[in-house]
Amino acid sequence: MNALRRQFFLSYAVIGSVMPLMTVFLREQGGFDFLQIGLAMSLMNIPMLCSPALITLLADRNVDARKILAIAYTCSSIVLSLMYFSNHIGITLALFLFHGLSFVAMIPLQDGYFFSFAETIRKRGESEVEYPQVRVWGTVGFILPSLVLFYPLSQGATAASILPCAVVFCLLSLANSRTLPSVDRPIVSEKKLPTRDALAAIFSPSARWLSIGLFFGFMAATTYYAFIGNFLDEVVGIPKRHIGLIINIGVVLEIGFTIIMPWMQKKIHLKGILVTGLFCMVVRMFLLAFFPYAWVAVAVQLCHGLEVLALFVGPVMFLNRLATDQFRNSIQGVFTMAVGGVARVVGGVTAGFIVSKFGLEGGLIHGACLATVAFLIITFLFHRIPPPEEQQEDEESGVSSTDAS
């Protein structure tokens, strides 16, 4: 289990190296305008339209997930190294595409691997561990690069320094992937394709509105994360060395929210966590758009933890409730492809266009409106998916899962 915790820690450290200042890097070193930044974000997410489903399909088809992870981190380290030396917009855009191809499937694959491992130890009668208890190590890993980069940025280093930092964590992730424990392999049916079963599950009546609502949520998140670095730099006027630290105030608080998530589930259920998090997302973006001050940028980080639970932790747990051993990996990849991938590609281009026409404040208002749509759909149209043990009790008592929800 320690190796799995390390894997989450190191893989999210790669994201934490790149995300806070990537668009600042593109403006500062690449000379990108806002529309080109939106295009770059979309290009990085285009592989989500095929790569997650393909890679998680391989995992469900008995290809060792640990080997897939190792190959992906190797490719990412190469691409990020080349991006560091690129000074041509076209080449940089192409590298974004290849980076996405190698990296975007890794998070759903790791999630699927965790749930496969959890199912393996459950069948062996060993003590079970809940997903938030492992996912929280990813949150801790996300914070570390901003602390590492603070000193060089304070000494005048450019935003390009995020790339060597990301490469180091890619190589450490590669090394750690060789220490991950084995999991029980699923019994493969030659007649049934896990991807097809997974796609049917995420658009089944019990999950359809969850998928549609989160589509708008991911579009809103793409708008926010693509331009928040530029907004804090150019509108609020925060020094670059402080941008990552301010963003990570919310990530530090996210650790606490992730740890108490099982308690929150008992109080307001998993759907309640999604509704609360999406509401926080709406509030955060509207406040930043209308009150672009440094103290507001700090204060709204209080919303970040619940937002992450709503978009990136809760949905993963809901999806696993729909899965069987035959498509436990694939359901994470197919959801990332069909919902997250499409939303991020469309959201990146749309956000770039909106920001180029209406400014960074306009982009945040656009994102807040999308988040509002997501909040309304999840609140009023989505009925929660009960955990397997509750579904089993309902079946035994003759009550449908929908009625029980």
Side-chain angles (χ1 to χ4, degrees), residues 23-24 27 33-35 37-38 223-237 285-286 288-290 292 351-368:
T23 56
V24 176
R27 289 277 282 173
D33 60 31
F34 291 130
L35 186 57
I37 288 174
T223 302
Y224 177 84
Y225 290 114
F227 292 104
I228 187 59
N230 300 107
F231 181 85
L232 296 178
D233 177 29
E234 300 180 31
V235 177
V236 183
M285 285 195 275
F286 272 131
L288 279 172
F290 290 107
F353 176 78
I354 294 292
V355 170
S356 67
K357 294 293 184 183
F358 303 103
L360 290 161
E361 295 94 332
L364 282 174
I365 294 171
H366 164 71

Side-chain angles (χ1 to χ4, degrees), residues 110-256:
Q110 283 183 178
D111 290 336
Y113 177 85
F114 166 81
F115 289 115
S116 296
F117 179 73
E119 186 67 14
T120 296
I121 62 175
R122 187 190 68 80
K123 290 177 179 177
R124 293 173 184 170
E126 301 175 20
S127 58
E128 298 181 39
V129 61
E130 296 189 54
Y131 177 72
Q133 295 173 329
V134 174
R135 172 59 173 75
V136 70
W137 288 96
T139 303
V140 177
F142 185 94
I143 296 169
L144 181 60
S146 291
L147 301 177
V148 171
L149 290 168
F150 179 77
Y151 180 75
L153 289 172
S154 298
Q155 299 302 306
T158 68
S161 57
I162 64 176
L163 297 175
C165 185
V167 169
V168 169
F169 284 113
C170 272
L171 295 176
L172 291 173
S173 297
L174 167 63
N176 189 73
S177 67
R178 301 177 65 84
T179 70
L180 292 171
S182 61
V183 299
D184 292 343
R185 303 291 181 84
I187 300 173
V188 177
S189 170
E190 296 298 328
K191 296 182 179 179
K192 297 188 72 176
L193 188 65
T195 303
R196 182 182 301 167
D197 290 340
L199 190 63
I202 65 174
F203 288 108
S204 64
S206 59
R208 184 179 300 142
W209 287 112
L210 173 68
S211 299
I212 294 171
L214 289 173
F215 176 86
F216 289 100
F218 286 131
M219 279 190 70
T222 298
T223 302
Y224 177 84
Y225 290 114
F227 292 104
I228 187 59
N230 300 107
F231 181 85
L232 296 178
D233 177 29
E234 300 180 31
V235 177
V236 183
I238 293 172
K240 293 179 179 63
R241 65 182 181 275
H242 292 142
I243 290 174
L245 296 180
I246 287 176
I247 289 173
N248 276 300
I249 292 171
V251 183
V252 170
L253 296 174
E254 180 191 331
I255 296 173

Side-chain angles (χ1 to χ4, degrees), residues 317-400:
M317 298 169 69
F318 268 135
L319 292 174
N320 190 58
R321 293 180 182 182
L322 298 169
T324 67
D325 288 344
Q326 282 66 45
F327 60 94
R328 199 168 299 281
N329 289 287
S330 288
I331 197 167
Q332 303 294 340
V334 168
F335 180 82
T336 302
M337 173 194 72
V339 179
V342 176
R344 287 177 172 92
V345 171
V346 175
V349 173
T350 305
F353 176 78
I354 294 292
V355 170
S356 67
K357 294 293 184 183
F358 303 103
L360 290 161
E361 295 94 332
L364 282 174
I365 294 171
H366 164 71
C369 292
L370 291 169
T372 301
V373 174
F375 167 76
L376 293 173
I377 289 175
I378 297 296
T379 301
F380 297 108
L381 297 177
F382 169 61
H383 300 285
R384 72 183 184 92
I385 303 167
E389 58 271 18
E390 189 175 322
Q391 295 179 39
Q392 185 176 358
E393 290 174 3
D394 292 340
E395 289 172 2
E396 291 173 357
S397 63
V399 181
S400 72

